[in-house]
Amino acid sequence: MVDLPSGTVTLVFSDVEGSTLLLSRLGPAYIDALDGQRSVLRSAWAKYGGIELGTEGDSFFVVFASARDAVCATVEAQRELHAYPWPQGEQVRVRMGVHTGSPQVHDGGYVGLDVHRAARIAGAAHGGQIVVSLSTAELVSTCMPPGTALKPKGSHRLKDLPEPVQLLQVAIDGLPEEFPPLKTLGAVSTLPCPATPLVGRDHEVEELTALLSSPDVQLLTLTGPGGSGKTRLAVEVAQRLVEAVPDGVYFTALAGVSTEDALWSSLAETLNVRPEARNPPGVINHVSRRSALFVLDNLEQLPSAHDVVTEILAAAPRTVVIATSRRPLHVIGEHEYPVPPLPLPDGTDVDVVAASPAVQMFVYHARLVRPSFTVTRDNAADVAALCRHLDGLPLAIELAAARSKLLTPSAILNRLGTVLDLGAGGSPRPSRQQTLRNTIRWSYDLLSGEEQTLFRRLGVFSGGADLHAVAAVAGGDRNSSGRDCLDLVAELVDASLVTVGETAEGEPRVDMLETIRTFALEQLACTGELDAIAKRHAEHFVAVAEGWQSLMSAGRFFEARDRFEVETDNVREALDWALRRHEGTAPSAEAVGIGLSLCRVLVHLWDVSGYHSEGRSYLAQAIELASGRSDSPEMAGCLNWMSIFSRNMGDLEDAYPWAEASVSMWRRLNDGGAVALALETLARLELYRGQPTAARAAYEEALRQARQSDDKAALEHVLVQFALMEHSEGNYQHSLELDAEALAVARERNDDTTALMTQHNTACTLRQLGRAEEAKRTMDESIPAILGLDNLNLTMALAEDYAAVLADIGDFHGAGRLLGAADAMRARLTAPRDRRQELGIAGTVAKARGALGAAEWEAVYQAGMTVTVEEALSVASGVSASTRSVA
């Protein structure tokens, strides 16, 4: 009999993994393997004072008075087992479990729950692995054997044991460290079992898992609008971390909780806290020493969530919280992660559509009700359009896909006018998620009255709005309570109802998902504000468009175009309100007047940006609605531009009556300058129709009208255009005379852009007269000033026409480089040459290419494409140009 240690002891259980299979492979040699295993283990047990309590077959039950001795013995045993020369090249793998407790000594052995716990720990291990309990790990953490370390394996439920056990693995240098998951009833987790796989979130899962692996991250809040998939993503990330969290992962659903007391009670229930301790101190005491992960789902409706989470994190520094909420908690140290919609397909090709995460989710849910569903060439475009219409919101896609049982993607798409009413059918969803409308209303109802007002009004913006537009349309910089508009926008961002991007100037730009915008517009209509706010929106963009027109007049064409492109959707929204019929009723005279005004200030941008068809359509609507009304400058201006757009689209016969109608109305309005401009439109149309005599007559009358009106701007425009016609007709001397007068008027008006353009046109005419050297000198004089204007259109024309001059004087290399630089600049700015300019330089290209030969021409041209137009002009002319690059 041996005196057994009492009190705190450490128990070790071990056995050979897969001994039956090993026996079948080794046959009689198994006896040698068994003897070798017993010899190695008994040597290790004896060396560190272990007492054998039981040996049966290939298993051992050993007790040690010291936890460190027990761990040292198991480490030495594993090293010797790994190095042992086993018969037939086999490897005998022994699993070991170590637990420190206080079992009772009884009848030459031990009894008590600690014995069962040690045996269950050994049973959870794999061959070659040492698994220890937390009680053992705490005793040896500062005195581990050399070349070893403790690796947490999380809290696990073990068979027949009431409480989870925190387990760790002893990692040994030079021996295998990676093993399959422990063979337990599972790590402690109350995560719900997802009904469907997570689709399209691989990037987010990897990013969030890495983020939560950092010791600096204690609170992660997933934010986003209703239906964006916050809960599903949180569960997936938490599931990835179950094995890494020692004390378990706990999920608490809080959508139905609205008070702080109920929040504490829900947490206590999740943690299985004793009923008498289900209060804040009881919960805090329960979590304070734990290293756990909590998923707190749906916190947005709980004003005190901030305080509860703060208290938990302060009391339990090793605890991590993943929160889902439509707004951040604003807790110190919070890491907010806005959950984006699913990526949408970029195109309609079958492979591109099928690869989109949004489409993959649609396909998955469609197959639940129609197993044969797939993306094909016939339905790819409809599926892509459907997912775009639903903003890539997972909930919206899931609800729409459920209709695939009866409807094709095309049929679903046709019914999405009621997108907010997409129902969940028989799905057991919370009421707030039964339709998209309910989902969004859940967030809307949590807003204050001021926030609801701003949210509704933001619905009138299509494609977003800068803060100036938000303040002007949604109600001034400060509302009646004195709250700043920016503060209210921040609240809506926090509520995940709006997003904030950045303009090219670095300023904030507010936007909404289309599904949320639809809800906002519904609410605006319900309050009776829709028409008034839409009118304010349209009036604001009339003023904005006037600013773009001023930029155009100052020669800042590309800046104006870029700003217009950003606001194109808002412009369309304003025009649709002003010019559309509401339930068969024509818009008011005031609305039509705003529409005419907006058309009139947009026409130049429509023209230079290539929106001829769209511009003509809006002009036609405005003219039709305003017909029968009194003459007005807005109406006359729209008639004139209706002619211009028809002409630019090649519809010369349709353009003619519009031009005549504009001239007649301006005559009735007795505006000589405007009459001159309308006559200039008519004159150019006559020229396009092959009637140069009629065109010249119209230009001459336009010139008389402009001079009589003393409208210098109109006079300048008519002179420039008349000169261009005379140039195109070969009347070069008269063209020079008209340009000279135009140059004088432009200088009188301090119109530097037109003055330089006219000087440039003069040089082009001199070239046609065979005075190429004089043309070069004229262009040389204007190069620095043109580059300084930042008028990129004029800069490109200068480079191309200067190249023609160079070709005429024999500098074919300079001509080739300039044309290459100009073409590269046009490609960068997406500004193709117009037909007249293309014809003007066609001869230059042919002359230079013929002189240099195809290969040398191509080399020179390609070299030009690698430099800026400014650099090419400076080299070719020898003139010191501006140091700022324009390309």
Side-chain angles (χ1 to χ4, degrees):
M1 295 291 292
V2 178
D3 288 335
L4 296 179
S6 59
T8 300
V9 297
T10 299
L11 309 173
V12 174
F13 280 88
S14 74
D15 68 351
V16 175
E17 182 181 53
S19 56
T20 302
L21 289 175
L22 187 64
L23 172 61
S24 66
R25 290 197 302 270
L26 289 177
Y30 179 74
I31 299 297
D32 295 334
L34 183 60
D35 288 344
Q37 182 255 165
R38 287 176 176 173
S39 174
V40 168
L41 294 184
R42 281 181 169 144
S43 175
W45 308 150
K47 181 176 179 178
Y48 289 95
I51 301 172
E52 288 186 32
L53 295 176
T55 302
E56 183 177 340
D58 55 39
S59 66
F60 281 92
F61 173 25
V62 188
V63 64
F64 292 83
S66 157
R68 186 179 188 279
D69 286 342
V71 171
C72 287
T74 56
V75 168
E76 179 156 326
Q78 290 289 11
R79 284 175 170 154
E80 292 299 324
L81 288 168
H82 189 75
Y84 191 84
W86 302 104
Q88 299 182 22
E90 286 284 355
Q91 181 67 48
V92 175
R93 295 179 175 86
V94 178
R95 57 184 178 179
M96 301 176 184
V98 185
H99 171 61
T100 302
S102 302
Q104 288 184 303
V105 178
H106 176 70
D107 196 19
Y110 292 94
V111 296
L113 201 56
D114 284 320
V115 177
H116 294 281
R117 188 171 285 115
R120 295 288 185 241
I121 292 172
H126 295 273
Q129 186 178 32
I130 304 170
V131 177
V132 303
S133 67
L134 178 62
S135 58
T136 299
E138 288 177 337
L139 292 172
V140 301
S141 61
T142 59
C143 56
M144 289 288 291
T148 65
L150 292 170
K151 294 176 61 176
K153 303 302 288 184
S155 291
H156 290 258
R157 292 175 291 115
L158 301 176
K159 184 180 178 182
D160 300 329
L161 297 180
E163 295 292 331
V165 177
Q166 188 170 326
L167 301 176
L168 301 93
Q169 174 187 323
V170 178
I172 306 172
D173 290 352
L175 299 190
E177 291 186 23
E178 298 301 323
F179 297 93
L182 296 178
K183 293 179 286 186
T184 65
L185 299 179
V188 175
S189 168
T190 65
L191 290 173
C193 182
T196 60
L198 186 65
V199 179
R201 295 293 193 192
D202 292 346
H203 171 73
E204 288 88 347
V205 170
E206 294 301 325
E207 189 172 31
L208 292 172
T209 302
L211 181 64
L212 286 168
S213 300
S214 168
D216 299 327
V217 178
Q218 199 177 5
L219 171 61
L220 171 68
T221 304
L222 305 185
T223 60
S228 59
K230 301 182 293 295
T231 300
R232 184 66 185 83
L233 180 58
V235 169
E236 186 72 21
V237 172
Q239 187 64 55
R240 296 284 186 95
L241 296 169
V242 166
E243 296 292 336
V245 181
D247 292 318
V249 177
Y250 301 91
F251 180 90
T252 306
L254 298 166
V257 173
S258 58
T259 67
E260 183 174 339
D261 288 342
L263 174 52
W264 284 112
S265 297
S266 297
L267 287 170
E269 185 176 349
T270 299
L271 290 165
N272 200 25
V273 176
R274 299 188 314 276
E276 64 272 16
R278 292 188 174 182
N279 49 45
V283 173
I284 290 298
N285 181 63
H286 196 82
V287 303
S288 60
R289 291 172 305 205
R290 290 181 177 242
S291 177
L293 171 64
F294 292 95
V295 179
L296 306 182
D297 188 44
N298 284 110
L299 290 175
E300 61 267 7
Q301 79 285 359
L302 285 160
S304 57
H306 169 283
D307 299 326
V308 174
V309 172
T310 299
E311 194 169 347
I312 289 173
L313 295 180
R318 293 186 298 156
T319 285
V320 176
V321 171
I322 301 176
T324 74
S325 175
R326 301 187 191 188
R327 60 172 68 241
L329 302 180
H330 297 300
V331 171
I332 294 174
E334 176 182 32
H335 290 256
E336 182 187 353
Y337 189 94
V339 177
L342 291 170
L344 296 165
D346 183 18
T348 57
D349 180 77
V350 176
D351 293 337
V352 171
V353 172
S356 160
V359 171
Q360 289 170 2
M361 185 169 194
F362 180 89
V363 170
Y364 175 83
H365 287 283
R367 285 177 177 169
L368 294 180
V369 294
R370 180 181 285 185
S372 62
F373 182 85
T374 188
V375 177
T376 66
R377 266 189 308 184
D378 293 333
N379 68 17
D382 291 327
V383 173
L386 203 160
C387 290
R388 290 191 198 100
H389 192 85
L390 298 173
D391 294 316
L393 284 174
L395 175 61
I397 292 171
E398 180 181 340
L399 296 178
R403 297 190 171 191
S404 298
K405 187 171 186 177
L406 298 175
L407 302 174
T408 64
S410 175
I412 298 173
L413 188 61
N414 291 337
R415 287 162 173 78
L416 283 187
T418 55
V419 61
L420 294 177
D421 293 316
L422 281 172
S427 174
R429 288 190 169 278
S431 60
R432 72 181 190 282
Q433 291 185 346
Q434 288 296 316
T435 68
L436 285 179
R437 179 178 283 103
N438 290 348
T439 299
I440 300 169
R441 181 174 288 282
W442 168 268
S443 294
Y444 178 73
D445 288 343
L446 295 174
L447 301 176
S448 69
E450 297 162 334
E451 292 160 1
Q452 288 182 347
T453 297
L454 179 62
F455 168 75
R456 291 192 302 268
R457 293 178 176 181
L458 288 176
V460 298
F461 293 104
S462 180
D466 58 33
L467 292 181
H468 176 64
V470 170
V473 175
D477 291 329
R478 292 184 180 274
N479 59 23
S480 57
S481 70
R483 290 186 69 186
D484 189 274
C485 185
L486 184 59
D487 291 339
L488 292 175
V489 168
E491 291 294 333
L492 296 180
V493 173
D494 276 356
S496 298
L497 288 170
V498 303
T499 58
V500 175
E502 195 172 280
T503 67
E505 295 78 26
E507 287 295 310
R509 187 171 180 83
V510 180
D511 203 357
M512 285 179 170
L513 293 175
E514 193 59 31
T515 46
I516 293 176
R517 179 172 177 256
T518 300
F519 179 86
L521 286 171
E522 281 187 358
Q523 301 309 303
L524 198 59
C526 288
T527 61
E529 298 176 278
L530 180 56
D531 203 53
I533 299 302
K535 174 176 176 288
R536 195 185 295 177
H537 172 269
E539 289 174 331
H540 171 75
F541 280 98
V542 170
V544 170
E546 287 171 346
W548 299 335
Q549 192 176 47
S550 297
L551 288 174
M552 294 278 289
S553 299
R556 294 158 66 183
F557 156 67
F558 289 101
E559 183 180 348
R561 187 189 69 175
D562 289 346
R563 294 189 182 187
F564 165 67
E565 292 285 359
V566 169
E567 301 292 1
T568 297
D569 288 339
N570 273 315
V571 167
R572 289 169 178 153
E573 189 75 13
L575 286 168
D576 286 343
W577 168 80
L579 304 176
R580 69 177 176 233
R581 295 180 180 273
H582 301 270
E583 298 179 356
T585 303
S588 66
E590 184 180 29
V592 173
I594 293 172
L596 281 169
S597 297
L598 188 51
C599 282
R600 191 182 180 193
V601 292
L602 283 171
V603 286
H604 286 90
L605 274 164
W606 278 333
D607 185 33
V608 298
S609 301
Y611 287 74
H612 299 129
S613 179
E614 183 176 337
R616 184 163 76 159
S617 176
Y618 279 122
L619 286 170
Q621 291 180 60
I623 291 168
E624 179 187 359
L625 290 168
S627 61
R629 296 175 58 186
S630 301
D631 294 344
S632 68
E634 288 78 17
M635 182 67 162
C638 287
L639 289 168
N640 185 54
W641 277 96
M642 189 68 174
S643 173
I644 293 171
F645 285 150
S646 296
R647 179 197 73 202
N648 289 347
M649 294 177 68
D651 196 347
L652 303 183
E653 294 309 312
D654 185 62
Y656 200 78
W658 295 118
E660 289 189 314
S662 177
V663 171
S664 298
M665 187 173 289
W666 282 120
R667 289 189 196 278
R668 292 195 298 273
L669 291 168
N670 197 29
D671 186 330
V675 170
L677 293 174
L679 282 167
E680 192 280 319
T681 298
L682 186 62
R684 205 182 312 185
L685 182 58
E686 294 283 20
L687 189 62
Y688 278 44
R689 295 172 72 202
Q691 303 295 327
T693 303
R696 186 170 290 102
Y699 268 123
E700 288 169 350
E701 185 186 355
L703 210 49
R704 287 195 300 273
Q705 289 282 349
R707 285 170 174 154
Q708 290 170 8
S709 71
D710 200 32
D711 186 333
K712 298 296 185 182
L715 175 60
E716 177 185 86
H717 179 76
V718 172
L719 284 166
V720 169
Q721 296 302 323
F722 195 0
L724 286 172
M725 189 204 85
E726 292 291 60
H727 178 100
S728 67
E729 290 295 302
N731 300 318
Y732 300 124
Q733 193 57 46
H734 190 211
S735 179
L736 287 176
E737 293 168 4
L738 292 168
D739 271 336
E741 185 178 355
L743 182 60
V745 173
R747 287 173 173 166
E748 180 185 349
R749 296 183 63 240
N750 295 315
D751 184 353
D752 294 338
T753 300
T754 302
L756 287 167
M757 184 174 66
T758 304
Q759 191 173 354
H760 174 81
N761 291 345
T762 298
C764 292
T765 303
L766 289 171
R767 172 182 165 255
Q768 293 296 335
L769 287 169
R771 296 152 64 180
E773 292 290 352
E774 189 177 350
K776 182 178 184 302
R777 288 194 298 274
T778 302
M779 286 188 177
D780 288 345
E781 291 174 8
S782 64
I783 285 174
I786 287 178
L787 295 179
L789 275 180
D790 199 21
N791 186 322
L792 304 185
N793 222 20
L794 184 53
T795 298
M796 289 183 291
L798 169 63
E800 291 159 355
D801 292 329
Y802 195 84
V805 171
L806 293 178
D808 280 357
I809 63 176
D811 184 359
F812 302 117
H813 288 87
R817 277 193 302 271
L818 266 176
L819 289 175
D823 280 352
M825 184 176 180
R826 286 192 180 279
R828 286 192 293 273
L829 297 172
T830 60
R833 271 190 292 274
D834 62 32
R835 181 172 175 274
R836 183 164 59 185
Q837 184 70 0
E838 189 69 53
L839 290 172
I841 67 165
T844 301
V845 174
K847 181 186 292 186
R849 186 184 181 92
L852 295 175
E856 189 173 357
W857 158 261
E858 187 63 25
V860 170
Y861 176 82
Q862 290 297 330
M865 294 192 79
T866 66
V867 300
T868 66
V869 165
E870 180 184 60
E871 291 166 341
L873 279 169
S874 180
V875 170
S877 65
V879 175
S880 177
S882 166
T883 58
R884 184 186 53 77
S885 172
V886 298

